[in-house]
Amino acid sequence: MLCWQLWSEFLLEWNLTRRYWFDTLAGLLASVLFFYSMVLGLENLTPEGLASLGLDLGPLLLVFAAFNLVVGTFQSIAYSVQSEAALGTLEHLGLARGGLLRQLLLRALVQGLAGITFSLLTLLPLVLLLGVRLTPASWWPLGLLPLYLAALGFALGMGALALQFKRVEGFFTIVQFLFLPYFFSLVRFEPWMTHLPFAPGAYLLRLAFTGEEVSPGLLLLALVQALLFLGAGLFAMAWVYAAVRRRGLLGRY
């Protein structure tokens, strides 16, 4: 039954992408233009360009890919809650085998795979436009895993907020604006940054796509942090879901 539920979410995502292909392409183009225009702006700050600012295009581009992945993932569950509630089908989703939490988690997994694909499709034209040379290591999919799991845990926490408060777009805008300078500060990565949220996963992604050697300690730290995020997100989502059901607030939008 779990496989059928997962397959239904794949079909839903595929049909939405196929039906609204124009919006998907526009979003992809918007991400490419956003980063490209930002690079052009930085290049024109000084006559010497990015080199005088101590910035390298490769790490900058990979941090942007990490930012795209996290931002795209952390909104997924909350937007699913909002859209289902607006349609009046949130309670119906809760009747799925395993309950609302499992169905939303399956949907988030599928949307996360779509988000990873979107991030890679954003990365490819930017690599060609900017002439950045990437040499992905053979283990590069493993480099994506900790960052994605951490983002999924954060998404569960944001989904809990959506269950409680129903509309959270304004708060998400604040989070996105905070994430932008935070992630770009990781371009000049220092050893003390490994304990910051999402930092080891973002750095691991960078190493995976530049072919640099990764230490087992960094990989372990990134996985532990990701599992802590995931565990905290699952706890928050389960606790809030039980609370809103107990108070009869699940269907009130």
Side-chain angles (χ1 to χ4, degrees), residues 57-146:
L57 265 181
L60 192 65
L61 179 57
L62 291 172
V63 164
F64 178 68
F67 167 79
N68 255 352
L69 176 61
V70 171
V71 168
T73 303
F74 95 78
Q75 301 176 76
S76 58
I77 294 179
Y79 282 158
S80 291
V81 170
Q82 288 186 180
S83 61
E84 295 289 347
L87 292 169
T89 53
L90 185 60
E91 290 160 304
H92 298 79
L93 202 63
L95 296 175
R97 186 178 293 272
L100 179 66
L101 183 57
R102 187 166 85 174
Q103 195 65 33
L104 286 175
L105 190 57
L106 291 174
R107 182 171 297 182
L109 287 172
V110 172
Q111 290 177 342
L113 290 175
I116 289 172
T117 305
F118 184 87
S119 295
L120 293 175
L121 288 175
T122 304
L123 194 63
L124 182 60
L126 286 170
V127 166
L128 297 174
L129 278 170
L130 299 171
V132 175
R133 182 178 175 79
L134 298 179
T135 53
S138 57
W139 52 271
W140 70 263
L142 183 61
L144 288 168
L145 183 62

Side-chain angles (χ1 to χ4, degrees), residues 19-54:
R19 176 65 182 84
Y20 304 112
W21 61 269
F22 180 77
D23 188 58
T24 303
L25 286 178
L28 182 65
L29 182 61
S31 291
V32 171
L33 290 176
F34 172 75
F35 184 79
Y36 189 65
S37 60
M38 185 180 67
V39 169
L40 288 181
L42 289 172
E43 285 278 8
N44 292 317
L45 280 177
T46 60
E48 295 82 9
L50 288 175
S52 64
L53 300 174

Side-chain angles (χ1 to χ4, degrees), residues 168-189:
V168 288
E169 292 97 334
F171 179 71
F172 279 6
T173 302
I174 295 172
V175 173
Q176 286 184 48
F177 278 120
L178 290 175
F179 269 178
L180 194 60
Y182 174 72
F183 269 89
F184 282 109
S185 71
L186 300 177
V187 173
R188 295 192 183 98
F189 197 84

Side-chain angles (χ1 to χ4, degrees), residues 224-243:
V224 168
Q225 189 188 89
L227 292 175
L228 286 174
F229 263 104
L230 191 59
L234 282 168
F235 174 79
M237 189 70 173
W239 188 81
V240 173
Y241 179 46

